[in-house]
Amino acid sequence: FAALERLHQVRLECQRLVGSRHQSAAFELLETLSQQQEQAYDKIYHWVQKRCGVTESEKGANNVAEAESIDDVDGSGVLKHAIHALRARPGFYVHCQESLGSHRRMLLVQRFVAALTVGGVGGTPRPIELQAHDPVRYVGDMVAWVHQAVASEKELLTSLFSAPKGATPHSPPPTTTASSGLAA
């Protein structure tokens, strides 16, 4: 990310050179730097998509355990820095938000069905459907599960999409659309 920041600084210096008498060299350098910067953002975007488990090859995966890799937000903050870096490219950033949101929604549905029918690993906690004979407890268990899941998702998404400490964005964060379902 330091290289991306340095590339941004060099591009700013080149833009100042455009006004001088060395315009042709500055334009060539600016074009080369722009291409490299776009390649860097493209690689970051694809890495984030792969890391979050939302690539096309994994969208059809039925194994919840494989798709839960994002739940373990890396302690080093690389994923958070990568998502923050994408703020400079609103198209990538918004698409990342939308695809991550829809992927997390799919995971929650799978987890809810598993909590209802299978329960936890090793049978603890027991399946919620075992309490179907007692409607108050049955609904209470479902509401408790949803409450816990929403709190966990909020914490995860807040940690991923908030600015990392010491980060200097190239541009202000884009505003999210109502259809994305996520706040920046």
Side-chain angles (χ1 to χ4, degrees), residues 1-176:
F1 300 107
L4 194 58
E5 180 66 31
R6 178 71 179 133
L7 182 64
H8 178 70
Q9 292 172 354
V10 171
R11 280 195 74 230
L12 291 176
E13 293 294 325
C14 277
Q15 288 173 348
R16 283 196 278 191
L17 275 178
V18 169
S20 70
R21 56 186 173 169
H22 304 291
Q23 285 184 353
S24 61
F27 277 125
E28 285 180 35
L29 188 55
L30 194 57
E31 181 179 342
T32 302
L33 291 173
S34 294
Q35 289 172 353
Q36 289 177 348
Q37 190 175 30
E38 285 306 312
Q39 287 175 350
Y41 282 119
D42 190 51
K43 287 181 181 182
I44 291 171
Y45 169 74
H46 288 293
W47 180 83
V48 167
Q49 293 287 30
K50 184 177 179 183
R51 175 66 174 84
C52 293
V54 293
T55 58
E56 292 298 321
S57 62
E58 294 181 11
K59 280 186 179 175
N62 289 330
N63 189 351
V64 176
E66 286 179 10
E68 291 178 345
S69 64
I70 191 171
D71 286 345
D72 306 321
V73 177
D74 51 351
S76 65
V78 175
L79 181 60
K80 187 175 184 175
H81 279 286
I83 290 173
H84 184 71
L86 290 177
R87 287 181 175 208
R89 294 295 183 265
F92 283 150
Y93 185 73
V94 169
H95 189 265
C96 182
Q97 284 181 322
E98 290 173 351
S99 60
L100 183 59
S102 65
H103 181 71
R104 297 302 299 176
R105 193 175 309 118
M106 178 201 62
L107 274 176
L108 278 176
V109 168
Q110 289 176 350
R111 287 178 181 167
F112 185 66
V113 169
L116 283 174
T117 59
V118 180
V121 178
T124 306
R126 295 175 35 184
I128 295 173
E129 285 190 343
L130 290 179
Q131 305 303 325
H133 64 279
D134 181 4
V136 173
R137 180 158 181 205
Y138 183 58
V139 172
D141 286 351
M142 285 192 289
V143 170
W145 188 94
V146 169
H147 173 74
Q148 183 273 329
V150 168
S152 297
E153 289 298 307
K154 179 183 177 196
E155 182 180 333
L156 173 73
L157 295 174
T158 300
S159 71
L160 285 177
F161 289 100
S162 63
K165 293 178 182 175
T168 57
H170 301 304
S171 62
T175 56
T176 57

